[in-house]
């Protein structure tokens, strides 16, 4: 991090001094809890049935979760670090579709669709003042 602050100090200074305007990271939000639930299901109950690629995806999700927890003291770094691995989070949410029975797939897909709606309307509140 010290090397990065030399390369672009004006861009990275808010992350290091804590002046970046984000809210405190909370682990009691639907995003983190749903990610953790799917992750625990895949690692605890479905690990033997996962392909090598799926296991790599779970490794990347583990790195994202670890960054978010490790940098809890600095919410800007925690959120940006976890966002770097957001693509793997989305892929992880799709892995159970290949493992569940037919009727369970529909329930899981409905749960994912509801979660998408929650995230969509939540993000509308954030961008509302800009319109």
């Amino acid at each position: 991090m010290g090397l990065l602050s030399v390369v672009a100090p004006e861009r990275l200074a808010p992350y290091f001094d804590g002046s970046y305007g984000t809210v405190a990271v909370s682990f009691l939000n639907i995003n983190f809890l749903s990610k953790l639930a799917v992750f625990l299901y895949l690692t605890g109950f479905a690990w033997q049935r996962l392909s090598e690629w799926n296991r790599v995806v779970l490794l990347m999700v583990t790195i994202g979760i670890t960054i978010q927890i490790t940098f809890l003291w600095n919410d800007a770094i925690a959120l940006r670090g976890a966002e770097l691995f957001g693509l793997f989070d989305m892929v992880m949410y799709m892995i159970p579709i290949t493992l569940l029975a037919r009727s369970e797939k529909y329930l899981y897909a409905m749960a994912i669709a509801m979660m998408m709606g929650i995230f969509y309307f939540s993000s509308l509140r954030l961008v509302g003042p800009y319109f």
Side-chain angles (χ1 to χ4, degrees), residues 9-10 29-30 47 57 60 71 76-77 80 104-105 108 123 130:
E10 67 282 346
N29 62 47
I30 191 165
W47 183 260
V57 168
M60 295 299 136
F71 292 105
I77 294 175
R80 297 304 173 259
E104 294 169 339
K105 286 181 186 185
Y108 183 75
S123 65
Y130 298 103

Side-chain angles (χ1 to χ4, degrees), residues 63-83:
I63 293 171
I65 291 171
T66 303
I67 289 172
Q68 191 170 356
I69 292 171
T70 302
F71 292 105
L72 185 61
W73 55 271
N74 189 322
D75 54 345
I77 294 175
L79 291 173
R80 297 304 173 259
E83 287 172 357

Side-chain angles (χ1 to χ4, degrees), residues 1 11-27 64 67-85:
M1 288 188 164
R11 296 273 301 158
L12 298 176
Y15 291 103
F16 295 119
D17 63 16
S19 64
Y20 196 83
T22 58
V23 296
V25 177
S26 171
F27 293 117
I67 289 172
Q68 191 170 356
I69 292 171
T70 302
F71 292 105
L72 185 61
W73 55 271
N74 189 322
D75 54 345
I77 294 175
L79 291 173
R80 297 304 173 259
E83 287 172 357
L84 287 173
F85 295 91

